[in-house]
Amino acid sequence: MPERLKELRSRLDEINARLLELLEDRAELVKEVALVKEQAQLPTLDSRREEEMLAALLGRSRGRLTDVQIRAIFRHVFSIARDLIDEARLSRLGVHASNRSGPTVVEVGRVRIGGGLPPVLLAGPCSLESRAQAETLLDYFTSRLPSERFLFRCGLDKPRTSPYSFQGLGREGLEIISRLKKKYDFAVVSEVTASRHIEEFAGVVDMWQVGARNMSNFELLRDLGRAGTPVLLKRGYAATIEELLYAAEYIYASGNKNVVLCERGIRTFEPWTRFTLDISAVPIIKNISHLPIIVDVSHSTGRKDVAGSIAAAALAAGADGVMVEVHPDPEKALSDANQQLSLAEFALFLEKAFPGSRKE
Ligand code: PEP
Ligand code: MN
């Protein structure tokens, strides 16, 4: 290699090293600026300031790079700075893995969720329809599933797409559950759609479910945070994983550390499933948060034929549990009739997803 080339290359290496050092110093400064702005409640992103910095740089140019090139370089530098700010902000959340030593284990009655414990099964009807319906299911579940791994899901107040569809039994349903709790040993998960339910359902519902349509109802999340009962927070069907984590932070930061996340599918262009299950959300959330995460195989796929395989996939991806809808007579169900498993289908589902899960 010619001496001259060697010399030029070594000068380039030196400049690269200086550039890197400067960029790293810049990154530290950017994070400090963002923190000061956050404390002063100022917006962290300020495109006018970026324009001003660019104008100043163009004014200092010695003409060896064109304005277009200078703009391109610094637009990239600014965009990386924005990523750094987002990452730093996320890492300060209470729900972020770096702010807790080890995974959170959420206790709902005798059921413990998360922390690498055996996965739990949240099974039950879409909506509670009658005492007889719940009894048939509870007879089956409580005699076959280990009580420390089973939660009864059932909607008391149903947020339906159409206001003319069945809206749930509400108070009447609450009384049914309350009476059944004297007969069977189980904990119940039910959806709250408004803060008034927190008081109304208290003492009967063991875990509040926040449905996909309410993930961004921040007032409700704050109220659930103050209430303390464990919360199952579903991902909105047009929400990013980051938005789900911020929603969980509303509950967590308001004082309730018993939060379980739920991936239930997002809306895509695929028409063969009701939503598209974002299975990658499971390991991504496991990496970034200490909260447990479960997967709803019913509302995500809207199909019975793949429920068992999808549940197995969710568990293989590291989910702490699976939710599935079961109805004694699915065809007559008042909501989600297409996706609810009959008891015979549920038995096959169990074999596929939870082999060896039955009580001996
Ligand atoms: C439910 O689980 O009853 C429900 C309505 O689900 P989602 O909020 O995910 O649509
Ligand atoms: Mn349903």
Side-chain angles (χ1 to χ4, degrees):
M1 193 193 300
E3 273 310 304
R4 177 76 181 137
L5 180 57
K6 263 200 213 159
E7 186 209 326
L8 289 172
R9 280 190 168 172
S10 107
R11 278 169 59 196
L12 267 183
D13 289 342
E14 214 176 289
I15 288 181
N16 285 345
R18 270 163 49 205
L19 271 177
L20 178 63
E21 210 174 299
L22 285 171
L23 286 168
E24 284 184 330
D25 288 349
R26 189 180 194 285
E28 287 307 301
L29 263 178
V30 159
K31 285 197 261 179
E32 260 185 74
V33 168
L35 197 57
V36 171
K37 280 182 165 181
E38 210 171 288
Q39 282 158 356
Q41 302 210 325
L42 291 168
T44 30
L45 295 181
D46 185 346
S47 51
R48 214 173 41 202
R49 165 83 179 133
E50 286 184 5
E51 279 310 315
E52 281 165 10
M53 287 193 285
L54 260 181
L57 287 162
L58 294 173
R60 291 178 66 130
S61 162
R62 289 175 292 165
R64 295 179 191 171
L65 292 170
T66 64
D67 286 5
V68 172
Q69 285 165 331
I70 293 173
R71 276 183 189 279
I73 291 167
F74 279 90
R75 289 236 179 270
H76 207 63
V77 170
F78 296 160
S79 136
I80 288 169
R82 273 180 245 134
D83 291 349
L84 280 168
I85 294 169
D86 286 347
E87 271 168 38
R89 204 168 6 169
L90 201 61
S91 73
R92 286 195 292 277
L93 297 185
V95 301
H96 194 277
S98 60
N99 294 317
R100 194 181 191 280
S101 60
T104 287
V105 175
V106 173
E107 294 185 21
V108 186
R110 273 191 287 129
V111 181
R112 303 175 77 220
I113 312 169
L117 291 166
V120 296
L121 182 56
L122 292 79
C126 178
S127 316
L128 179 68
E129 297 170 7
S130 66
R131 180 180 171 127
Q133 175 219 32
E135 263 181 328
T136 309
L137 292 171
L138 284 167
D139 269 340
Y140 190 95
F141 294 144
T142 55
S143 62
R144 285 171 177 81
L145 302 170
S147 59
E148 68 283 3
R149 284 164 62 191
F150 160 67
L151 289 168
F152 188 53
R153 70 137 284 146
C154 75
L156 297 170
D157 187 86
K158 296 300 298 175
R160 306 297 301 283
T161 302
S162 163
Y164 307 114
S165 305
F166 175 63
Q167 303 284 308
L169 292 184
R171 275 217 149 273
E172 188 193 335
L174 200 66
E175 272 153 39
I176 293 176
I177 294 295
S178 184
R179 269 182 257 125
L180 288 176
K181 278 197 160 179
K182 296 192 182 103
K183 181 169 172 193
Y184 302 96
D185 176 22
F186 68 100
V188 69
V189 184
S190 197
E191 180 165 353
V192 274
T193 53
S195 294
R196 71 183 154 81
H197 292 142
I198 299 174
E199 221 171 278
E200 239 171 86
F201 295 4
V204 178
V205 172
D206 302 284
M207 183 181 220
W208 309 121
Q209 179 174 315
V210 177
R213 290 152 192 83
N214 268 311
M215 187 205 87
S216 306
N217 184 343
F218 302 126
E219 251 340 279
L220 175 63
L221 300 182
R222 278 208 190 92
D223 289 341
L224 289 167
R226 286 188 280 262
T229 302
V231 178
L232 179 67
L233 176 66
K234 289 189 144 195
R235 177 179 179 183
Y237 47 70
T240 63
I241 298 172
E242 189 175 293
E243 285 162 345
L244 173 63
L245 292 175
Y246 274 101
E249 186 72 9
Y250 270 93
I251 305 170
Y252 201 83
S254 305
N256 190 347
K257 311 291 180 213
N258 302 308
V259 183
V260 175
L261 304 172
C262 178
E263 166 58 42
R264 50 79 70 213
I266 49 175
R267 189 154 268 168
T268 70
F269 49 81
E270 175 55 61
W272 285 3
T273 47
R274 186 172 174 185
F275 292 89
T276 297
L277 180 68
D278 180 10
I279 196 80
S280 52
V282 175
I284 290 173
I285 285 174
K286 283 267 155 213
N287 285 343
I288 205 169
S289 174
H290 52 79
L291 296 179
I293 171 148
I294 67 142
V295 168
D296 177 345
V297 301
S298 295
H299 294 89
S300 51
T301 65
R303 298 174 61 136
K304 301 164 175 238
D305 58 339
V306 294
S309 309
I310 297 303
L315 298 178
D320 298 296
V322 164
M323 175 184 272
V324 64
E325 287 188 337
V326 190
H327 192 287
D329 192 356
E331 279 173 24
K332 296 209 181 96
L334 300 178
S335 56
D336 287 346
N338 293 338
Q339 71 195 29
Q340 302 204 59
L341 304 182
S342 66
L343 287 173
E345 288 161 341
F346 178 68
L348 295 174
F349 166 88
L350 272 188
E351 265 168 40
K352 185 129 198 167
F354 291 82
S357 67
R358 276 160 168 257
K359 268 185 184 169
E360 289 317 317

